[in-house]
Amino acid sequence: MEQTHINFFKKLLGEDNAYFDEAHKLAYSYDATRKVFKPDAVLFPKDENEVSKILAYCNDNLLPVIPRGAGSGFTGGALAVSGGVIISFEKHMNKILEIDLENMVAVVQPGVINMDLQKKVEKLGLFYPPDPASQTYSTIGGNVAENAGGMRASKYGITKDYVMALRAVLPNGEIIRAGKKTIKDVAGYNLVGILTASEGSLAVITEITLKLIAKPKLKKTAFGVFKSVNEAMNAVYKTLSSGVKPVAMEFLDNLSIKAVEENFHKGLPKDAGAILITDVDGDLEISLDKDLEIIEKVFKENGCFNFIVAKDEKESNDLWFSRRNCSQAITCYGSLKINEDITVPRSKLPALLEKINEVSKKYDVLIPCFGHTGDGNVHTNVMVDKDNEDEVKKGYAAIEEIFKITIDLGGTLSGEHGIGISKAPYMKLAFSDAEMELFRAIKKAFDPNNILNPNKMGL
Amino acid sequence: MEQTHINFFKKLLGEDNAYFDEAHKLAYSYDATRKVFKPDAVLFPKDENEVSKILAYCNDNLLPVIPRGAGSGFTGGALAVSGGVIISFEKHMNKILEIDLENMVAVVQPGVINMDLQKKVEKLGLFYPPDPASQTYSTIGGNVAENAGGMRASKYGITKDYVMALRAVLPNGEIIRAGKKTIKDVAGYNLVGILTASEGSLAVITEITLKLIAKPKLKKTAFGVFKSVNEAMNAVYKTLSSGVKPVAMEFLDNLSIKAVEENFHKGLPKDAGAILITDVDGDLEISLDKDLEIIEKVFKENGCFNFIVAKDEKESNDLWFSRRNCSQAITCYGSLKINEDITVPRSKLPALLEKINEVSKKYDVLIPCFGHTGDGNVHTNVMVDKDNEDEVKKGYAAIEEIFKITIDLGGTLSGEHGIGISKAPYMKLAFSDAEMELFRAIKKAFDPNNILNPNKMGL
């Protein structure tokens, strides 16, 4: 980076909030994709005004700017693929500014860790439902930028359903507000809507106002073992369309079950086609029991031969063990896991899993699947040997075919990970030229010089 | 309109779907604002392809295009303020295309009337919650364009919370899709988010996919009479922050109560400060009763001296009578009702009502208030004599002051009516120059020639 730039940032932020050394560049060069792109600078602004000054300067000097939460994303959203300046919120802009009990709203800075917010509001009898698997380290800013999902999406929705208002800085340094602490607000275009899930490419979010709900008093866990994955997938959408609203409805297929059992010896039935694990919640015991009654009935009508309801929290944790550990367990199938979060309408889950099985046979690769079936979101893992070039090639061919199948079934490339760089090559499968042109026009409206997180999302 | 344009539209749509006569121009010149702007043409396309061809032609010839639902909007969104072409969906594009029971989703054309959809899905045990007061005649297309609210917003949210996917035509005639029949979809920018509430100014929506939920089996109504409006407003936000989720939480102030009583003689207490009417719903009687217990307790702790729970549907309808008829009843206070749907964070309701009272005294105008307090949305009605120029002037000065108060309290110009032309002059109170510039840039990204619903929203 040019010395004039370095001098500017050091003067603006102070020596200990602006870094240009190799160690910092390396530390901020990666994310969960394991790809490495070194930035030219790593900056820790103290407040919105400093963010504004950084952006105005970068806009004038055409320096790429990459806002970064915890770097836990799966698609490269926080990677400095074209070099430039990382803006990190982890050092200063990481505070819960307000928990407004009267309006049931939290106001936070982007660097707040999801679980820290959850814990704080739960102590006050409130609840922030979005719970991405990364919840113990990912930040609310990153969650909003990627519109993070999680296990509780089936009942409670995803990040976008909780963002009421934002403060953000445009690439030209202008500070904007969007939305209010109100359920209804229809004045002006829905900037909250377009900024959520924009992967840090339209504006830098500096403050987030989140809707909270009352914490449900009770939760119960049920666990069903199915003969076939097809029957389990039928059970999922039939349960949901019965009107029961499980908090989560998670599944493991046979390969995932086997992997967990071989790694952890929990007594899982290695020949089962699938396991479904579900939580129900609410304030009244009788209401939870009624839900579980319906779930048991639907499960058993659809090939469930073993149905267990946890008696207490310990048993619930035991039942959840397999789901929580399967992502790690399946690494036994290959040194490279090509992991995609495809999502289809729930009724298409049986067809999706059947077709993934055909792809697995066609390309002779193992594809363990698990995930959030309650909202049609399947984590599909093509497992290959990373040192076997031919197998890696087959793996990516299999994934491309799975994306096509997903789109054909009315589904989407990504339920919660975003596009970033990992899925950018597949955007053309999902979007027409007119739609891609519109995305580019929107990007240009916010960021005419293309400085904000450039070269992402296939734009 | 030039004869070449007339010939083009007649040839494209047929003689009986393209009108240029005075009678049609007049019939499509008004909306609920009672302002009149005659268009140059009224077109009834049969499908998306015809909409596409109309738009491409208008874009080439710089003709304004105004998409129109039922013309029931309160802010002029459907008015042809610059002349041009009305696209109406009421004749052909008015069909419920699909009720997908397995995924609990409805797919409709923009001209479907809200209540027709509600009735159809309720017969199937499903529920479409958004219920604007215009529900018996307003269309889903208009509801999406304005992001319509309604009484049930307090528990169930507003239109945007139910829009999963859209098909739309851009001003250049290109057809785009946005969103999927999936709860999660984070591929590409959130076009569903930005198109909802865009007041027909970005694209013409031609198909809407809506989330449905299971219909709650039971509903109960409660009615509380309060000494003062201030205490009633306290009761509202304290009930909500107790964790109870009433479907609706509606209020009438003293002037509204008096007007209903003088018009309909229902035995309402004319000296009461306020009435709150609330519904709770769910599947279990015990759960509704628990909710009502908490509501009664909070109400009585906050100055409620008469609390009634309806025994059956007839009694429930009786309790709702005053709320349903107060908008009409208050016209006794003046021949011109300047009606605004301001919205504040719920905890600010007491302060808002107090300040409106001060404004009423300052300008010597009556301002009856009622509305959806469960979500902080107050219908504020400045009543004046339309033939008294001085009073009308005072009325608008009072409204401007009320908007300023609302913004100062963290509220918004509009909870559900939109901006259109009526509120356009007040946009500068709520948005900075940078925000207005951004709105204009977004508009330009979608509609570079500014043909779609031009000169609305203060843009």
Side-chain angles (χ1 to χ4, degrees):
Chain A
M1 176 164 271
E2 278 177 36
Q3 194 58 42
T4 44
H5 300 332
I6 293 175
N7 294 344
F8 174 84
F9 291 126
K10 283 192 172 171
K11 194 171 167 212
L12 174 67
L13 306 171
E15 292 275 343
D16 50 352
N17 290 312
Y19 293 91
F20 309 88
D21 57 301
E22 283 308 306
H24 273 87
K25 288 183 193 173
L26 197 64
Y28 290 83
S29 66
Y30 66 92
D31 70 356
T33 59
R34 302 188 191 181
K35 293 192 175 85
V36 174
F37 294 92
K38 272 200 270 183
D40 301 306
V42 180
L43 308 180
F44 301 97
K46 282 187 287 297
D47 56 32
E48 187 176 78
N49 284 327
E50 287 189 352
V51 173
S52 163
K53 284 173 186 155
I54 294 168
L55 280 166
Y57 185 83
C58 291
N59 199 39
D60 287 345
N61 292 282
L62 302 180
L63 300 174
V65 176
I66 302 95
R68 182 181 170 97
S72 54
F74 274 114
T75 53
L79 294 178
V81 295
S82 319
V85 165
I86 295 270
I87 295 186
S88 170
F89 303 103
E90 65 185 341
K91 196 165 157 187
H92 302 296
M93 295 177 70
N94 56 6
K95 290 168 197 70
I96 297 174
L97 299 174
E98 184 191 4
I99 309 285
D100 175 346
L101 295 173
E102 294 179 345
N103 295 299
M104 300 169 81
V105 160
V107 183
V108 307
Q109 291 183 315
V112 168
I113 289 169
N114 177 303
M115 186 57 94
D116 291 346
L117 177 65
Q118 286 191 48
K119 281 188 181 159
K120 177 141 185 187
V121 304
E122 288 186 28
K123 273 186 199 152
L124 301 165
L126 294 169
F127 190 42
Y128 177 66
D131 61 339
S134 59
Q135 60 190 330
T136 53
Y137 43 90
S138 70
T139 63
I140 299 290
N143 292 175
V144 173
E146 301 291 331
N147 194 6
M151 293 204 192
R152 298 194 285 234
S154 177
K155 176 166 183 174
Y156 290 110
I158 55 180
T159 304
K160 81 171 161 66
D161 300 312
Y162 294 86
V163 185
M164 300 180 87
L166 296 171
R167 292 181 69 94
V169 183
L170 296 177
N172 63 9
E174 292 279 6
I175 294 166
I176 60 165
R177 301 154 310 103
K180 299 279 174 184
K181 263 192 196 178
T182 56
I183 292 172
K184 294 171 171 172
D185 176 15
V186 295
Y189 291 130
N190 179 6
L191 298 178
V192 172
I194 194 83
L195 289 177
T196 304
S198 67
E199 305 195 13
S201 71
L202 299 181
V204 177
I205 294 165
T206 50
E207 189 184 290
I208 302 145
T209 299
L210 295 165
K211 184 170 82 172
L212 304 173
I213 61 175
K215 186 170 159 55
K217 295 185 181 74
L218 303 167
K219 193 170 78 175
K220 294 194 177 190
T221 301
F223 179 98
V225 187
F226 289 77
K227 281 177 286 184
S228 75
V229 73
N230 196 53
E231 286 170 304
M233 293 303 101
N234 274 313
V236 169
Y237 85 80
K238 285 182 181 169
T239 302
L240 273 293
S241 61
S242 78
V244 175
K245 283 189 187 159
V247 183
M249 177 70 89
E250 298 285 311
F251 103 111
L252 281 75
D253 71 356
N254 172 266
L255 283 173
S256 304
I257 296 168
K258 267 190 199 148
V260 173
E261 189 51 27
E262 265 157 39
N263 275 276
F264 302 105
H265 314 289
K266 287 280 173 178
L268 296 178
K270 282 162 77 171
D271 56 342
I275 286 171
L276 288 179
I277 311 170
T278 183
D279 276 346
V280 294
D281 72 359
D283 291 343
L284 292 172
E285 182 106 25
I286 181 178
S287 151
L288 275 66
D289 290 342
K290 266 200 176 292
D291 286 349
L292 288 173
E293 222 172 82
I294 296 170
I295 292 172
E296 180 170 5
K297 185 169 171 288
V298 177
F299 276 24
K300 288 188 172 167
E301 282 169 2
N302 287 280
C304 171
F305 61 89
N306 190 6
F307 185 83
I308 306 168
V309 174
K311 281 187 208 68
D312 52 32
E313 207 181 323
K314 197 198 151 293
E315 273 195 33
S316 165
N317 285 332
D318 283 351
L319 294 181
W320 274 103
F321 181 89
S322 55
R323 172 62 186 90
R324 294 220 172 91
N325 291 282
C326 70
S327 181
Q328 184 202 331
I330 59 167
T331 55
C332 65
Y333 293 124
S335 50
L336 177 65
K337 175 164 83 169
I338 313 172
N339 158 22
E340 301 293 350
D341 62 322
I342 50 174
T343 305
V344 292
R346 291 186 299 243
S347 70
K348 302 296 184 189
L349 282 168
L352 177 70
L353 273 288
E354 209 170 290
K355 280 173 190 291
I356 289 175
N357 191 30
E358 286 166 18
V359 171
S360 165
K361 283 180 189 150
K362 178 174 166 187
Y363 291 95
D364 191 25
V365 285
L366 291 179
I367 312 181
C369 294
F370 59 87
H372 320 306
T373 40
D375 45 56
N377 184 190
V378 173
H379 290 290
T380 309
N381 307 279
V382 178
M383 308 302 303
V384 291
D385 175 356
K386 73 175 162 52
D387 300 320
N388 182 334
E389 207 178 306
D390 181 54
E391 212 175 276
V392 170
K393 226 167 128 181
K394 281 198 294 182
Y396 281 103
I399 275 293
E400 179 151 354
E401 196 155 329
I402 289 169
F403 279 136
K404 282 181 190 156
I405 289 163
T406 303
I407 302 290
D408 284 347
L409 291 170
T412 172
L413 296 177
S414 177
E416 46 189 25
H417 293 173
I419 300 298
I421 52 170
S422 311
K423 301 198 185 199
Y426 308 111
M427 285 290 274
K428 63 183 183 304
L429 299 177
F431 296 101
S432 69
D433 290 347
E435 288 152 4
M436 291 302 294
E437 267 317 301
L438 181 59
F439 290 155
R440 283 187 200 105
I442 292 171
K443 166 77 168 154
K444 204 163 184 175
F446 282 80
D447 182 17
N449 294 338
N450 194 28
I451 63 157
L452 252 185
N453 218 355
N455 303 316
K456 302 282 171 80
M457 300 172 75
L459 302 180
Chain B
M1 175 165 269
E2 277 178 38
Q3 193 60 42
T4 44
H5 300 333
I6 293 175
N7 294 346
F8 174 84
F9 291 126
K10 283 192 173 173
K11 194 173 168 210
L12 174 67
L13 305 171
E15 292 274 342
D16 50 352
N17 290 312
Y19 293 91
F20 310 88
D21 57 301
E22 284 307 306
H24 272 87
K25 287 183 194 173
L26 197 64
Y28 289 83
S29 65
Y30 67 92
D31 71 355
T33 59
R34 303 189 191 179
K35 293 193 176 83
V36 174
F37 294 92
K38 272 199 272 183
D40 301 307
V42 180
L43 308 180
F44 301 97
K46 282 187 287 297
D47 57 32
E48 187 177 77
N49 284 326
E50 287 189 353
V51 174
S52 164
K53 283 173 186 155
I54 294 169
L55 280 166
Y57 184 83
C58 292
N59 199 39
D60 287 346
N61 292 280
L62 302 179
L63 301 174
V65 176
I66 302 96
R68 182 181 171 97
S72 55
F74 275 113
T75 54
L79 294 178
V81 295
S82 319
V85 165
I86 294 271
I87 296 186
S88 168
F89 303 104
E90 64 185 340
K91 196 165 158 187
H92 301 295
M93 295 178 69
N94 56 5
K95 291 170 197 70
I96 297 174
L97 299 173
E98 185 191 4
I99 308 285
D100 175 346
L101 295 173
E102 294 177 345
N103 295 300
M104 299 170 82
V105 160
V107 183
V108 306
Q109 290 184 315
V112 167
I113 289 169
N114 177 303
M115 185 58 94
D116 291 347
L117 177 66
Q118 286 191 47
K119 281 188 182 161
K120 178 144 183 183
V121 304
E122 287 186 30
K123 273 186 200 153
L124 301 165
L126 294 170
F127 190 42
Y128 176 66
D131 61 339
S134 58
Q135 59 190 330
T136 53
Y137 43 91
S138 70
T139 64
I140 298 290
N143 291 175
V144 173
E146 300 291 331
N147 193 7
M151 294 206 193
R152 298 193 286 233
S154 176
K155 176 167 183 174
Y156 290 110
I158 55 180
T159 305
K160 81 170 162 63
D161 300 311
Y162 294 85
V163 185
M164 300 180 86
L166 295 171
R167 293 181 69 93
V169 184
L170 296 177
N172 63 8
E174 292 279 6
I175 295 166
I176 59 165
R177 301 154 310 102
K180 299 278 175 183
K181 263 192 196 178
T182 56
I183 292 172
K184 294 171 172 172
D185 176 15
V186 296
Y189 291 130
N190 178 7
L191 297 179
V192 172
I194 194 82
L195 289 177
T196 304
S198 67
E199 305 196 13
S201 70
L202 299 181
V204 177
I205 294 167
T206 50
E207 190 184 288
I208 302 145
T209 300
L210 295 165
K211 183 171 82 170
L212 304 172
I213 61 175
K215 186 170 159 52
K217 294 185 182 74
L218 303 167
K219 192 169 79 177
K220 292 194 179 191
T221 301
F223 179 98
V225 186
F226 290 76
K227 280 177 286 182
S228 74
V229 73
N230 196 52
E231 287 170 304
M233 294 302 101
N234 275 312
V236 168
Y237 85 79
K238 285 181 181 168
T239 302
L240 272 296
S241 62
S242 78
V244 175
K245 282 189 188 160
V247 183
M249 177 69 89
E250 298 285 310
F251 103 111
L252 281 76
D253 70 356
N254 173 264
L255 284 173
S256 306
I257 296 167
K258 268 190 200 147
V260 172
E261 190 50 27
E262 266 157 36
N263 276 275
F264 302 105
H265 313 290
K266 287 279 171 179
L268 297 178
K270 282 162 75 172
D271 57 341
I275 286 171
L276 288 179
I277 311 170
T278 183
D279 277 345
V280 295
D281 72 357
D283 291 342
L284 291 172
E285 182 107 23
I286 183 179
S287 150
L288 274 66
D289 290 342
K290 266 199 176 292
D291 286 349
L292 288 173
E293 222 173 81
I294 297 170
I295 291 172
E296 181 171 2
K297 185 168 173 286
V298 177
F299 276 25
K300 288 189 171 167
E301 282 169 1
N302 288 281
C304 172
F305 59 89
N306 190 6
F307 185 83
I308 307 167
V309 175
K311 284 187 204 70
D312 52 32
E313 208 181 323
K314 197 199 152 293
E315 274 195 30
S316 163
N317 284 333
D318 283 350
L319 295 181
W320 274 102
F321 181 90
S322 54
R323 172 65 185 89
R324 293 219 172 92
N325 291 281
C326 69
S327 181
Q328 185 202 330
I330 59 168
T331 55
C332 64
Y333 293 124
S335 51
L336 176 65
K337 175 166 83 171
I338 313 173
N339 156 22
E340 301 293 350
D341 62 323
I342 50 175
T343 304
V344 293
R346 290 185 300 244
S347 70
K348 303 295 185 190
L349 283 168
L352 177 69
L353 273 287
E354 211 170 289
K355 281 173 189 291
I356 289 175
N357 190 31
E358 287 166 19
V359 171
S360 165
K361 284 179 190 154
K362 177 174 167 188
Y363 291 94
D364 192 25
V365 285
L366 292 179
I367 313 181
C369 295
F370 58 86
H372 320 306
T373 39
D375 46 56
N377 184 190
V378 173
H379 290 290
T380 309
N381 306 277
V382 179
M383 307 302 302
V384 291
D385 174 356
K386 72 176 164 46
D387 300 319
N388 182 335
E389 207 178 304
D390 181 54
E391 212 176 277
V392 170
K393 225 167 127 180
K394 281 198 295 181
Y396 281 102
I399 276 292
E400 178 151 355
E401 196 155 329
I402 289 169
F403 279 137
K404 282 182 190 155
I405 290 163
T406 304
I407 302 291
D408 284 348
L409 291 170
T412 172
L413 296 178
S414 178
E416 45 190 25
H417 294 173
I419 300 300
I421 53 169
S422 311
K423 302 198 186 198
Y426 309 112
M427 285 291 274
K428 63 182 184 302
L429 299 177
F431 296 100
S432 69
D433 290 348
E435 288 152 4
M436 291 303 294
E437 268 316 303
L438 181 59
F439 291 155
R440 285 188 200 101
I442 292 170
K443 166 76 169 154
K444 204 163 184 173
F446 282 81
D447 182 17
N449 295 336
N450 193 29
I451 62 156
L452 251 184
N453 218 356
N455 303 315
K456 302 282 171 79
M457 299 173 76
L459 301 179

